[in-house]
C-alpha cells in the first residue's frame, strides 16, 4: 500500500514527466514549469503541459483513443512499515523520493487514471477545485476549428492522476 501522504515531502525536487519511464521521452519538468505536482485526497496529482513534439502528439492520440489510460512513477522508498499480523504481510510505503511520473500502457497500480482536459475545463476546475468530466462527445469531435488548433487547446492541460493504493 502507498500511504496518501507518501508524496508530501517529495514534490520539491526536479521531477520529469516521461512516456513509458523512458528518460529520452521527456514531456514535462517541474523546473521548467511544464509539470505541476500536488497531493490531494486521492494521492499524487500531476498536470502536464504536453509539448508539441512527436512524443507529445503521439501521447495525445493514444490517450484520445483510450490506448494509454494509466500512470506510473519512478521513486525510491525512504520510509516504510510492515504489518505481519495477517496471512500475508502488508508493506505500507510512508515516504518516497520521487524521480519521475510516466504515462504508461501497463501501470503498476491499476487505480491510476490519465485523462485530458481543455483549457476552459482546467480553468473551471481550478476555480471550483474539482476535476471536470469530459464527455466522450467532447473528446471525439473536434470543434469547427482546425484539428491542430483543437489539439493545442487540449494540450494546455493533460491531467494525470495517480491514486493512492488502499
Amino acid at each position: 500500500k502507498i500511504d496518501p501522504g507518501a508524496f508530501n515531502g517529495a514534490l520539491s525536487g526536479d521531477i520529469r514527466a516521461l512516456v513509458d519511464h523512458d528518460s529520452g521521452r521527456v514531456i514535462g519538468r517541474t523546473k521548467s514549469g511544464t509539470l505541476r505536482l500536488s497531493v490531494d485526497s486521492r494521492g499524487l496529482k500531476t498536470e502536464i503541459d504536453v509539448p508539441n513534439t512527436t512524443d507529445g502528439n503521439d501521447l495525445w492520440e493514444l490517450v484520445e483513443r483510450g490506448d494509454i489510460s494509466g500512470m506510473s512513477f519512478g521513486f525510491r522508498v525512504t520510509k516504510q512499515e510492515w504489518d505481519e499480523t495477517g496471512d500475508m504481510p502488508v508493506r505500507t510505503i510512508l515516504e518516497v523520493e520521487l524521480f519521475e511520473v510516466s504515462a504508461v500502457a501497463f501501470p503498476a497500480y491499476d487505480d491510476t487514471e490519465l485523462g485530458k482536459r481543455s483549457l476552459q475545463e482546467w480553468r473551471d476546475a481550478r476555480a471550483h477545485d474539482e476535476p471536470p468530466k469530459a464527455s466522450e462527445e467532447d473528446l471525439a469531435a473536434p470543434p469547427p476549428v482546425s484539428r491542430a488548433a483543437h489539439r493545442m487547446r487540449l494540450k494546455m492541460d493533460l491531467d494525470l492522476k495517480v491514486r493512492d493504493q488502499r
Side-chain angles (χ1 to χ4, degrees), residues 1 3 77 79-83 90-94:
K1 295 191 313 187
D3 185 81
V77 175
K79 187 176 180 184
Q80 63 186 342
E81 66 183 17
W82 288 87
D83 178 1
V90 176
R91 175 189 189 201
T92 302
I93 297 171
L94 301 172

Side-chain angles (χ1 to χ4, degrees), residues 9-164:
L11 304 183
S12 61
D14 186 15
I15 315 297
R16 271 66 165 197
L18 308 175
V19 177
D20 281 327
H21 300 290
D22 184 340
S23 62
R25 300 176 70 193
V26 177
I27 56 171
R29 186 174 179 180
T30 55
K31 184 176 179 180
S32 68
T34 57
L35 168 63
R36 291 167 302 284
L37 301 169
S38 61
V39 176
D40 63 16
S41 62
R42 297 168 65 186
L44 181 63
K45 180 177 179 181
T46 306
E47 294 179 350
I48 302 170
D49 300 331
V50 177
N52 185 19
T53 62
T54 301
D55 284 326
N57 292 326
D58 287 352
L59 178 61
W60 277 115
E61 184 69 23
L62 294 170
V63 170
E64 194 171 75
R65 290 168 30 130
D67 297 337
I68 292 182
S69 60
M71 290 292 298
S72 186
F73 40 88
F75 64 94
R76 183 175 64 84
V77 175
T78 57
K79 187 176 180 184
Q80 63 186 342
E81 66 183 17
W82 288 87
D83 178 1
E84 298 183 31
T85 59
D87 292 337
M88 181 74 108
V90 176
R91 175 189 189 201
T92 302
I93 297 171
L94 301 172
E95 290 180 10
V96 300
E97 179 181 1
L98 184 63
F99 305 114
E100 53 92 4
V101 295
S102 285
V104 296
F106 298 103
Y109 301 94
D110 291 332
D111 284 346
T112 64
E113 292 178 359
L114 178 134
K116 62 185 192 177
R117 296 185 287 183
S118 70
L119 177 58
Q120 188 58 49
E121 287 171 318
W122 178 80
R123 286 178 177 152
D124 292 347
R126 300 285 284 194
H128 297 97
D129 199 32
E130 62 185 52
K133 301 287 186 203
S135 71
E136 289 296 318
E137 194 175 304
D138 291 340
L139 296 176
V145 295
S146 74
R147 185 166 173 81
H150 177 65
R151 278 189 185 225
M152 288 304 290
R153 254 197 316 264
L154 290 175
K155 203 174 285 189
M156 296 301 285
D157 182 52
L158 174 60
D159 189 2
L160 306 171
K161 297 179 190 144
V162 177
R163 290 194 221 173
D164 62 312

